[in-house]
């Protein structure tokens, strides 16, 4: 999977994407201060603070953002307190179960179907603990 870190076209609706101040979304600048936003459907993605032109993943609508948060809450509960190495090991494990390269295993890169699949896998992990 090749994620475009400098999107010009929305991955959801195909609309034009603009690079804007994220104050237009949050009411004040937050993090890097910038994001990419679709002019048609309103999906958006933040950018990295040290690299404010680089998107943190693909554009997401409200439903995708909710699934990302659900996945992160569950995933983070498994590695917090265990250290960064364990976090990376869990990403490798999740990538294996999703059948994707570990370098592509990032919730910000997942579309809605991948987010739902990841969440199902994480719920199964939760049962094993």
């Amino acid at each position: 999977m090749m994620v475009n870190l400098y999107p010009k076209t929305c991955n959801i609706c195909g609309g034009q994407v603009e690079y804007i101040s994220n104050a237009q979304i949050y009411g004040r600048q937050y993090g890097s201060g910038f994001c990419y936003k679709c002019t048609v459907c309103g999906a958006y993605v933040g950018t990295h603070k040290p690299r404010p032109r680089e998107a943190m993943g693909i554009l997401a609508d409200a439903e995708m953002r909710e699934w990302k948060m659900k996945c992160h809450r569950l995933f983070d509960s498994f590695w917090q307190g265990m250290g960064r190495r364990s976090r990376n090991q869990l990403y490798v494990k999740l990538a294996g179960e999703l059948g994707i390269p570990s370098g592509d295993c990032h919730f910000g890169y997942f579309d809605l179907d991948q987010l739902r699949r990841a969440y199902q896998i994480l719920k199964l992990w939760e049962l094993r603990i």
Side-chain angles (χ1 to χ4, degrees), residues 108-124:
Y109 293 179
F110 293 176
D111 63 22
L112 190 55
D113 289 338
Q114 290 169 310
L115 288 165
R116 288 178 175 150
R117 283 184 51 224
Y119 187 76
Q120 289 172 336
I121 290 167
L122 295 171
K123 289 301 279 183
L124 291 174

Side-chain angles (χ1 to χ4, degrees), residues 13-52:
C13 75
Q16 181 181 351
V17 171
E18 59 185 355
Y19 179 72
I20 61 170
S21 165
N22 64 15
Q24 292 181 38
I25 292 169
Y26 301 120
R28 68 174 181 86
Q29 282 201 319
Y30 175 78
S32 72
F34 298 95
C35 67
Y36 289 96
K37 182 180 178 192
C38 177
T39 60
V40 177
C41 73
Y44 61 88
V45 62
T47 63
H48 290 277
K49 191 169 186 171
R51 298 176 307 280

Side-chain angles (χ1 to χ4, degrees), residues 65-78 94 107 110 114-120 122:
R65 289 190 299 276
E66 182 62 35
W67 279 98
K68 284 182 195 187
M69 288 187 282
K70 287 171 59 168
C71 286
H72 259 296
R73 273 193 300 268
L74 201 45
F75 183 84
D76 292 349
S77 73
F78 296 128
L94 180 59
F107 297 119
F110 293 176
Q114 290 169 310
L115 288 165
R116 288 178 175 150
R117 283 184 51 224
Y119 187 76
Q120 289 172 336
L122 295 171

